[in-house]
């Protein structure tokens, strides 16, 4: 009785591991989520920078009025 050998992606030892690694897409998903998080962070930083000056002047006016009231 002759045993049939299962066809691997590559015939060399260790190459099956490399082929499985090349076909694995779970890392790509993690990278995509990382890029989305980075874009959100850039948006938050841009918004904070834009609003920073106006918030500083707003709190300055509030501080002036509180100091004048006491």
């Amino acid at each position: 009785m002759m045993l049939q050998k299962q066809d691997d992606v590559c015939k060399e030892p260790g190459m099956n591991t490399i082929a499985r690694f090349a076909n694995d897409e779970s890392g790509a998903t993690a990278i995509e989520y990382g890029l989305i998080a980075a874009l959100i962070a850039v948006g938050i930083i841009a918004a904070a920078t834009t609003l920073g000056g106006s918030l500083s002047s707003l709190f300055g006016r509030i501080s002036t009025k509180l100091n004048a009231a006491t």
Side-chain angles (χ1 to χ4, degrees):
M1 180 185 225
M2 188 173 190
L3 295 176
Q4 291 182 351
K5 188 174 183 182
Q6 182 181 3
D7 282 340
D8 288 335
V9 175
C10 296
K11 300 292 183 191
E12 297 179 27
M15 292 302 289
N16 193 24
T17 304
I18 294 171
R20 281 187 290 140
F21 176 74
N23 290 329
D24 186 15
E25 295 182 1
S26 62
T29 303
I31 291 172
E32 290 168 355
Y33 283 130
L35 289 172
I36 291 169
L39 286 173
I40 291 171
V42 167
I44 290 172
I45 291 170
T49 302
T50 303
L51 295 175
S54 61
L55 284 176
S56 177
S57 64
L58 173 68
F59 284 120
R61 287 192 312 259
I62 292 171
S63 174
T64 303
K65 289 182 179 181
L66 286 175
N67 285 335
T70 57

